[in-house]
Amino acid sequence: MERLSVRQARQKEAIGQQAFVQGWIRTRRDSKGGFSFLEVNDGSSFGNLQVIAEAALPNYETEVKHLGAGCSVSIEGEVKASGGKQATEVLASKVTVHGWADPETYPLQKKQHSLEKLREWAHLRPRTNTFGAVTRVRNCVCRSIHNFYQEEGFLYIHSPIITASDCEGAGAMFRVTTLDLEKLPLKDGKVDATQDFFGRPSYLTVSGQLEAEIFACALGKVYTFGPTFRAENSNTSRHLAEFWMVEPEVAFNDLNDNMSLAERFLKRLFRDALSQCDEDMKFFHEHYDKEIISTLEQIVTKEFIRCPYTEAVSILEQCGEKFEYPVSWGIDLQSEHERYLTEKHFKSPVILFDYPRSLKPFYMRVNDDGRTVRAMDVLVPKVGEIIGGSQREERLDVLTQRMAEQHLRAEDYWWYCDLRRYGTVPHAGFGLGLERAVQFITGMQNIRDVIPFPRTPGSADF
Ligand code: ATP
Ligand code: MG
Ligand code: MG
Ligand code: MG
């Protein structure tokens, strides 16, 4: 007898096989003919396996007829062709119950719960259709990320989680401390942060970029992919305090190369999700966003629009739309502006580039105009910014001047400056927020619903 996943047992190639399948009951229906249909799911596919349990089973009256949502079972039986919507079903010769779920108290009864409610049950929501589908798509995206970069010859680098460097300079870092909080050393009446990590300051990383640059400036093409942290006390539908970021970094690439890499990379993720998660994508299409499949299908065949920041600002100034946040050259574009550009004006993903120097961190390559830097943001409909990147400043003198402008001490970044001091090269890279990508692909509106354990202000229990 073969142990089959639900996915395998649902395929017509399995017809005729003796199968052993294990999973959780989604529903039970009793037929008038004296047998029951059990819908079983084990996470391997969106669709359930239909199991027919006949009255002749020795535990039919005592157990099978009491099964309900959430109970765990093992099924032995023959895979048969089904007359219903699905290709196969299993005629059970044995049903073993492992664990009961009291229908009086089991929270996931037939009734649909709101996504907000499900967030309170982070330990049970993987059992829902939505969360199973999100988890499989997220997994597919992660697999594609590695496949894409590995096939292109990139090396996977592990950048540190604990670090002293504030890459974004936005002051949104979580402090890490080994200090006994009861006996904090104080300096001028304040906590002495320089003592945090065994006598050194330290934080949770906001980005692995600076460390990735170290490796790119030695080994050419590298990427990091790991958790990053931002202590932003924001309650939006697209920000988390802990999220995953993919950051490729490539020596000898300029901003154009960087834009092309980002576009090819995103298209690969979208294509793989469409082809490898078709059942899950159909579910998102039916339940969350009626346009998501056609939008993705169109996006993978068309070129992304590339538009300088300055031109985007003129478009926004002249479009006649009433924005809550007024537009003028020099502002950091807000989500409403980004959505206008992608959804109404261009009706396409857009790569904005050459942003005002004053908006962006110290490491971005300054353009000849002196006012702008070689930054790029990839914007997609509904989600807005999904990628942020740039060509990096490779000239030591300009870099140190930019650090001074932003009140950073060059001696704290001596190692970063060394990359420019010895054999400097133009190089570029970007960061894709994994959750923003999954949000866009699934059409889920809230970022909290595409990560297993969302970390947002007030939620860090489990
Ligand atoms: P935003 O403007 O949306 O706050 P950002 O410009 O601060 O993003 P970057 O520093 O450019 O973000 O980070 C690169 C990418 O990481 C972003 O394009 C986005 O996809 C993702 N990202 C950034 N901050 C968050 C967050 N708090 N939660 C989830 N993803 C994030
Ligand atoms: Mg931000
Ligand atoms: Mg931004
Ligand atoms: Mg950004």
Side-chain angles (χ1 to χ4, degrees):
M1 183 167 312
E2 275 233 53
R3 189 172 180 147
L4 296 184
S5 66
V6 163
R7 169 180 283 274
Q8 290 168 320
R10 279 168 52 82
Q11 267 145 26
K12 54 179 187 310
E13 292 71 31
I15 292 169
Q17 262 179 289
Q18 288 298 320
F20 178 63
V21 183
Q22 301 185 294
W24 290 265
I25 302 282
R26 286 293 175 81
T27 58
R28 190 197 81 240
R29 276 184 298 121
D30 298 327
S31 138
K32 289 203 189 77
F35 58 91
S36 303
F37 292 106
L38 307 174
E39 296 286 333
V40 179
N41 195 286
D42 66 352
S44 61
S45 77
F46 181 84
N48 301 322
L49 179 66
Q50 175 157 295
V51 174
I52 297 170
E54 291 181 326
L57 290 168
N59 59 346
Y60 184 74
E61 288 297 333
T62 52
E63 294 193 314
V64 174
K65 279 195 80 173
H66 303 280
L67 285 170
C71 297
S72 50
V73 290
S74 291
I75 309 285
E76 289 174 32
E78 187 182 336
V79 184
K80 305 210 169 232
S82 167
K85 270 189 277 171
Q86 63 286 349
T88 71
E89 60 195 22
V90 166
L91 179 59
S93 54
K94 190 172 175 188
V95 175
T96 310
V97 182
H98 296 284
W100 294 95
D102 180 357
E104 295 299 317
T105 57
Y106 186 56
L108 303 180
Q109 288 303 326
K110 258 194 185 158
K111 175 171 162 313
Q112 287 271 325
H113 294 288
S114 69
L115 293 168
E116 288 80 8
K117 190 76 207 154
L118 288 176
R119 279 175 221 142
E120 292 171 20
W121 296 324
H123 61 305
L124 295 175
R125 67 178 186 168
R127 301 178 180 204
T128 61
N129 281 337
T130 299
F131 253 74
V134 163
T135 307
R136 281 182 297 272
V137 171
R138 188 178 164 106
N139 174 70
C140 170
V141 173
C142 293
R143 182 173 58 221
S144 302
I145 288 169
H146 283 298
N147 285 345
F148 176 82
Y149 288 112
Q150 293 294 328
E151 286 162 22
E152 298 236 348
F154 283 63
L155 297 175
Y156 179 30
I157 304 297
H158 299 106
S159 49
I161 301 286
I162 298 175
T163 177
S165 60
D166 180 3
C167 176
E168 293 309 303
M173 300 180 85
F174 284 102
R175 276 180 50 191
V176 175
T177 186
T178 54
L179 298 177
D180 180 346
L181 294 175
E182 305 293 309
K183 304 182 222 146
L184 284 174
L186 298 179
K187 200 173 157 187
D188 308 329
K190 287 190 183 148
V191 176
D192 186 359
T194 60
Q195 294 301 308
D196 265 352
F197 186 70
F198 304 111
R200 308 274 297 165
S202 68
Y203 306 91
L204 293 180
T205 183
V206 292
S207 156
Q209 177 203 317
L210 302 186
E211 291 87 356
E213 281 184 60
I214 296 180
F215 279 80
C217 290
L219 303 171
K221 297 198 277 187
V222 303
Y223 69 109
T224 71
F225 181 22
T228 45
F229 307 85
R230 306 233 172 145
E232 18 195 26
N233 194 0
S234 51
N235 255 314
T236 78
S237 58
R238 359 174 271 157
H239 289 91
L240 292 162
E242 175 181 308
F243 63 99
W244 282 63
M245 189 148 55
V246 195
E247 297 178 271
E249 190 70 35
V250 186
F252 305 104
N253 264 10
D254 63 15
L255 191 65
N256 277 322
D257 302 322
N258 209 34
M259 293 197 251
S260 305
L261 179 67
E263 178 168 347
R264 262 188 307 122
F265 172 47
L266 285 177
K267 286 180 173 169
R268 167 69 180 265
L269 300 188
F270 301 161
R271 227 180 264 122
D272 283 356
L274 287 170
S275 66
Q276 295 169 17
C277 300
D278 49 336
E279 267 189 323
D280 295 316
M281 290 304 297
K282 264 186 223 135
F283 168 77
F284 289 118
H285 166 90
E286 276 161 28
H287 290 87
Y288 290 100
D289 181 349
K290 287 267 180 277
E291 284 161 21
I292 191 61
I293 291 184
S294 56
T295 304
L296 290 172
E297 280 172 349
Q298 263 178 30
I299 286 177
V300 297
T301 59
K302 282 203 301 201
E303 263 185 48
F304 289 7
I305 308 278
R306 297 182 186 188
C307 173
Y309 167 92
T310 302
E311 199 179 310
V313 167
S314 319
I315 292 170
L316 293 167
E317 280 173 333
Q318 287 161 26
C319 69
E321 187 93 358
K322 272 260 162 280
F323 295 115
E324 223 166 278
Y325 193 95
V327 183
S328 63
W329 199 93
I331 66 153
D332 206 359
L333 298 180
Q334 306 294 305
S335 150
E336 53 175 339
H337 309 131
E338 298 179 344
R339 292 190 61 165
Y340 179 85
L341 292 169
T342 52
E343 290 166 28
K344 295 207 175 138
H345 187 82
F346 291 113
K347 298 189 172 59
S348 154
V350 184
I351 311 183
L352 295 187
F353 63 97
D354 286 350
Y355 279 73
R357 166 184 188 147
S358 56
L359 287 181
K360 295 289 182 183
F362 71 96
Y363 54 74
M364 296 191 180
R365 176 67 159 74
V366 179
N367 276 315
D368 290 345
D369 64 12
R371 309 205 302 154
T372 58
V373 289
R374 288 188 195 160
M376 61 176 227
D377 275 3
V378 182
L379 314 180
V380 292
K382 298 192 178 156
V383 176
E385 178 183 337
I386 177 170
I387 281 180
S390 66
Q391 184 178 328
R392 320 305 188 189
E393 183 55 75
E394 83 283 12
R395 300 163 299 182
L396 184 60
D397 54 336
V398 183
L399 185 71
T400 39
Q401 192 194 329
R402 291 274 287 149
M403 283 179 170
E405 255 170 47
Q406 303 199 357
H407 312 291
L408 296 171
R409 298 189 322 169
E411 56 267 36
D412 291 341
Y413 293 88
W414 62 275
W415 48 275
Y416 192 72
C417 294
D418 265 5
L419 304 177
R420 280 72 184 166
R421 201 169 276 126
Y422 307 117
T424 193
V425 288
H427 59 286
F430 59 80
L432 166 72
L434 173 67
E435 288 74 21
R436 299 256 176 108
V438 177
Q439 222 186 325
F440 179 59
I441 291 172
T442 57
M444 297 296 287
Q445 282 179 8
N446 197 312
I447 198 164
R448 294 168 176 80
D449 298 325
V450 298
I451 185 166
F453 303 100
R455 292 295 172 255
T456 49
S459 69
D461 293 349
F462 61 96

